[in-house]
Amino acid sequence: MVTDNAQALTKEEDKDRLAQAFVRFAVESGVLRFGEFKTKAGRMSPYFFNAGLFDDGAKMGRLAEFYAKALIASGIEFDMVFGPAYKGIPLAATVAVELARHGHNVPFAYNRKEAKDHGEGGTLVGAPLQGRVLIVDDVMSAGTAARESIALIRAAGATPHAMAIALDRQEKATENGQDVDHSAVQYVRNTLGMQVCTIAKLSDLLQYLAQEGGGAEVHGHHERVLAYRQRYGVQEG
């Protein structure tokens, strides 16, 4: 007989394995890089995640598979997928395809940055926004894109219900140029009341970097990434 605690442990182990596989995939694809990178908040980060470098069919297909598996495992229920321009557009499309392959066929939509004044017009493309909407994006830094998407979804009469992102940096957000004690993910979850599904977190990256045999491409970066988290990281919970 499998107990509830054993089932919970199995789910956590599966989530951990998925996160580690994703970090490895991102590093090997050159999407997760190490060095010195200036963030939107003006911080010098020892790592950078650029989802725009998932730039061929095989990488996008694998990325969508990670999103779909994380979403299905999360148990989050939603009626459709929305991708904010621009990086969210291919993400919404490919994740919807992968979800359908797993037996979860849902409509998807995305927005344009500029309104179109001919044809169907407007800023929205795809299925009508309705029901519980899942927003799919790569990362959340300040939460600005999330707030814009939420406003757009509400204006259409739908409910911004959840978000799915590839990597949670687990670091302090900034407001009016000042650090605050919560991350953008925590703000969306705790203040806006939306569920958030992440494929991997900064803690998963640190775990990967700490493992022996991580490879020459990650050698020596654990200490720098750990120091960054100790300076800018947020308390979980």
Side-chain angles (χ1 to χ4, degrees), residues 80-82 109-110 124 126-131 133 149 152-154 156-158:
M80 69 175 298
V81 173
F82 176 79
Y110 57 90
L124 292 172
L129 288 176
Q130 57 188 9
V133 181
S149 295
L152 190 154
I153 291 164
R154 284 177 175 160

mmCIF file of all heavy atoms in Angstrom, residues 80-82 109-110 124 126-131 133 149 152-154 156-158:
data_model
loop_
_atom_site.group_PDB
_atom_site.id
_atom_site.type_symbol
_atom_site.label_atom_id
_atom_site.label_comp_id
_atom_site.label_asym_id
_atom_site.label_seq_id
_atom_site.Cartn_x
_atom_site.Cartn_y
_atom_site.Cartn_z
ATOM 1 N N MET A 80 -7.504 27.628 -21.304
ATOM 2 C CA MET A 80 -6.786 28.015 -22.517
ATOM 3 C C MET A 80 -5.410 28.558 -22.158
ATOM 4 O O MET A 80 -5.113 28.826 -20.989
ATOM 5 C CB MET A 80 -7.578 29.038 -23.328
ATOM 6 C CG MET A 80 -7.714 30.401 -22.711
ATOM 7 S SD MET A 80 -8.539 31.541 -23.846
ATOM 8 C CE MET A 80 -7.395 31.573 -25.246
ATOM 9 N N VAL A 81 -4.576 28.716 -23.184
ATOM 10 C CA VAL A 81 -3.202 29.192 -23.021
ATOM 11 C C VAL A 81 -3.046 30.537 -23.707
ATOM 12 O O VAL A 81 -3.565 30.758 -24.802
ATOM 13 C CB VAL A 81 -2.208 28.165 -23.617
ATOM 14 C CG1 VAL A 81 -0.797 28.723 -23.620
ATOM 15 C CG2 VAL A 81 -2.270 26.850 -22.858
ATOM 16 N N PHE A 82 -2.309 31.447 -23.056
ATOM 17 C CA PHE A 82 -2.037 32.764 -23.625
ATOM 18 C C PHE A 82 -0.545 33.040 -23.609
ATOM 19 O O PHE A 82 0.135 32.825 -22.605
ATOM 20 C CB PHE A 82 -2.753 33.857 -22.815
ATOM 21 C CG PHE A 82 -2.434 35.255 -23.280
ATOM 22 C CD1 PHE A 82 -3.057 35.784 -24.404
ATOM 23 C CD2 PHE A 82 -1.515 36.044 -22.596
ATOM 24 C CE1 PHE A 82 -2.760 37.074 -24.842
ATOM 25 C CE2 PHE A 82 -1.217 37.325 -23.021
ATOM 26 C CZ PHE A 82 -1.843 37.843 -24.152
ATOM 27 N N ALA A 109 -4.029 31.662 -27.530
ATOM 28 C CA ALA A 109 -4.065 33.000 -28.130
ATOM 29 C C ALA A 109 -2.799 33.744 -27.735
ATOM 30 O O ALA A 109 -2.070 33.323 -26.833
ATOM 31 C CB ALA A 109 -5.294 33.769 -27.655
ATOM 32 N N TYR A 110 -2.551 34.841 -28.424
ATOM 33 C CA TYR A 110 -1.418 35.702 -28.078
ATOM 34 C C TYR A 110 -1.758 37.123 -28.483
ATOM 35 O O TYR A 110 -2.772 37.386 -29.135
ATOM 36 C CB TYR A 110 -0.130 35.230 -28.748
ATOM 37 C CG TYR A 110 -0.181 35.142 -30.262
ATOM 38 C CD1 TYR A 110 0.162 36.234 -31.061
ATOM 39 C CD2 TYR A 110 -0.566 33.960 -30.898
ATOM 40 C CE1 TYR A 110 0.117 36.153 -32.447
ATOM 41 C CE2 TYR A 110 -0.613 33.863 -32.279
ATOM 42 C CZ TYR A 110 -0.266 34.959 -33.044
ATOM 43 O OH TYR A 110 -0.319 34.882 -34.414
ATOM 44 N N LEU A 124 -5.242 41.119 -30.319
ATOM 45 C CA LEU A 124 -5.312 39.702 -29.956
ATOM 46 C C LEU A 124 -5.415 38.818 -31.189
ATOM 47 O O LEU A 124 -6.123 39.141 -32.150
ATOM 48 C CB LEU A 124 -6.513 39.447 -29.044
ATOM 49 C CG LEU A 124 -6.426 40.076 -27.647
ATOM 50 C CD1 LEU A 124 -7.751 39.917 -26.910
ATOM 51 C CD2 LEU A 124 -5.296 39.427 -26.854
ATOM 52 N N GLY A 126 -5.786 34.554 -32.395
ATOM 53 C CA GLY A 126 -6.057 33.192 -31.954
ATOM 54 C C GLY A 126 -7.440 33.047 -31.365
ATOM 55 O O GLY A 126 -8.365 33.783 -31.710
ATOM 56 N N ALA A 127 -7.574 32.095 -30.453
ATOM 57 C CA ALA A 127 -8.880 31.814 -29.849
ATOM 58 C C ALA A 127 -9.324 32.978 -28.967
ATOM 59 O O ALA A 127 -8.491 33.684 -28.391
ATOM 60 C CB ALA A 127 -8.791 30.537 -29.024
ATOM 61 N N PRO A 128 -10.634 33.185 -28.841
ATOM 62 C CA PRO A 128 -11.136 34.239 -27.952
ATOM 63 C C PRO A 128 -10.708 33.968 -26.512
ATOM 64 O O PRO A 128 -10.705 32.819 -26.058
ATOM 65 C CB PRO A 128 -12.662 34.132 -28.089
ATOM 66 C CG PRO A 128 -12.892 33.401 -29.373
ATOM 67 C CD PRO A 128 -11.730 32.473 -29.535
ATOM 68 N N LEU A 129 -10.326 35.022 -25.800
ATOM 69 C CA LEU A 129 -9.948 34.868 -24.404
ATOM 70 C C LEU A 129 -11.206 34.622 -23.567
ATOM 71 O O LEU A 129 -12.101 35.460 -23.523
ATOM 72 C CB LEU A 129 -9.218 36.121 -23.904
ATOM 73 C CG LEU A 129 -7.800 36.331 -24.435
ATOM 74 C CD1 LEU A 129 -7.237 37.659 -23.948
ATOM 75 C CD2 LEU A 129 -6.888 35.196 -24.022
ATOM 76 N N GLN A 130 -11.239 33.477 -22.926
ATOM 77 C CA GLN A 130 -12.392 33.150 -22.090
ATOM 78 C C GLN A 130 -12.009 32.080 -21.072
ATOM 79 O O GLN A 130 -11.050 31.333 -21.265
ATOM 80 C CB GLN A 130 -13.563 32.660 -22.939
ATOM 81 C CG GLN A 130 -13.259 31.471 -23.817
ATOM 82 C CD GLN A 130 -14.390 31.155 -24.785
ATOM 83 O OE1 GLN A 130 -15.340 31.914 -24.931
ATOM 84 N NE2 GLN A 130 -14.296 30.014 -25.437
ATOM 85 N N GLY A 131 -12.767 32.044 -19.987
ATOM 86 C CA GLY A 131 -12.510 31.051 -18.949
ATOM 87 C C GLY A 131 -11.246 31.339 -18.163
ATOM 88 O O GLY A 131 -10.780 32.471 -18.060
ATOM 89 N N VAL A 133 -7.459 31.390 -17.776
ATOM 90 C CA VAL A 133 -6.361 31.527 -18.740
ATOM 91 C C VAL A 133 -5.014 31.250 -18.076
ATOM 92 O O VAL A 133 -4.708 31.789 -17.009
ATOM 93 C CB VAL A 133 -6.360 32.931 -19.371
ATOM 94 C CG1 VAL A 133 -5.226 33.060 -20.381
ATOM 95 C CG2 VAL A 133 -7.705 33.221 -20.034
ATOM 96 N N SER A 149 -0.257 41.358 -19.179
ATOM 97 C CA SER A 149 -1.057 40.241 -19.679
ATOM 98 C C SER A 149 -2.332 40.090 -18.855
ATOM 99 O O SER A 149 -3.415 39.845 -19.405
ATOM 100 C CB SER A 149 -0.250 38.941 -19.628
ATOM 101 O OG SER A 149 0.854 38.994 -20.493
ATOM 102 N N LEU A 152 -4.837 42.723 -19.828
ATOM 103 C CA LEU A 152 -5.399 42.431 -21.145
ATOM 104 C C LEU A 152 -6.434 41.317 -21.059
ATOM 105 O O LEU A 152 -7.516 41.401 -21.655
ATOM 106 C CB LEU A 152 -4.260 42.043 -22.089
ATOM 107 C CG LEU A 152 -4.534 41.919 -23.588
ATOM 108 C CD1 LEU A 152 -3.244 42.163 -24.360
ATOM 109 C CD2 LEU A 152 -5.089 40.554 -23.940
ATOM 110 N N ILE A 153 -6.129 40.280 -20.296
ATOM 111 C CA ILE A 153 -7.053 39.144 -20.148
ATOM 112 C C ILE A 153 -8.330 39.567 -19.439
ATOM 113 O O ILE A 153 -9.439 39.202 -19.842
ATOM 114 C CB ILE A 153 -6.342 37.994 -19.397
ATOM 115 C CG1 ILE A 153 -5.234 37.383 -20.281
ATOM 116 C CG2 ILE A 153 -7.331 36.921 -18.968
ATOM 117 C CD1 ILE A 153 -4.246 36.528 -19.529
ATOM 118 N N ARG A 154 -8.182 40.349 -18.389
ATOM 119 C CA ARG A 154 -9.370 40.828 -17.659
ATOM 120 C C ARG A 154 -10.224 41.734 -18.528
ATOM 121 O O ARG A 154 -11.460 41.675 -18.485
ATOM 122 C CB ARG A 154 -8.933 41.557 -16.390
ATOM 123 C CG ARG A 154 -8.475 40.609 -15.285
ATOM 124 C CD ARG A 154 -7.993 41.372 -14.069
ATOM 125 N NE ARG A 154 -7.667 40.468 -12.960
ATOM 126 C CZ ARG A 154 -6.896 40.769 -11.940
ATOM 127 N NH1 ARG A 154 -6.351 41.998 -11.874
ATOM 128 N NH2 ARG A 154 -6.661 39.894 -10.986
ATOM 129 N N ALA A 156 -10.687 41.493 -21.565
ATOM 130 C CA ALA A 156 -11.424 40.655 -22.523
ATOM 131 C C ALA A 156 -12.528 39.857 -21.848
ATOM 132 O O ALA A 156 -13.270 39.122 -22.518
ATOM 133 C CB ALA A 156 -10.460 39.715 -23.225
ATOM 134 N N GLY A 157 -12.657 39.978 -20.528
ATOM 135 C CA GLY A 157 -13.709 39.282 -19.804
ATOM 136 C C GLY A 157 -13.333 37.889 -19.333
ATOM 137 O O GLY A 157 -14.188 37.124 -18.881
ATOM 138 N N ALA A 158 -12.043 37.540 -19.440
ATOM 139 C CA ALA A 158 -11.578 36.228 -19.002
ATOM 140 C C ALA A 158 -10.877 36.346 -17.643
ATOM 141 O O ALA A 158 -10.693 37.446 -17.120
ATOM 142 C CB ALA A 158 -10.643 35.628 -20.043
#
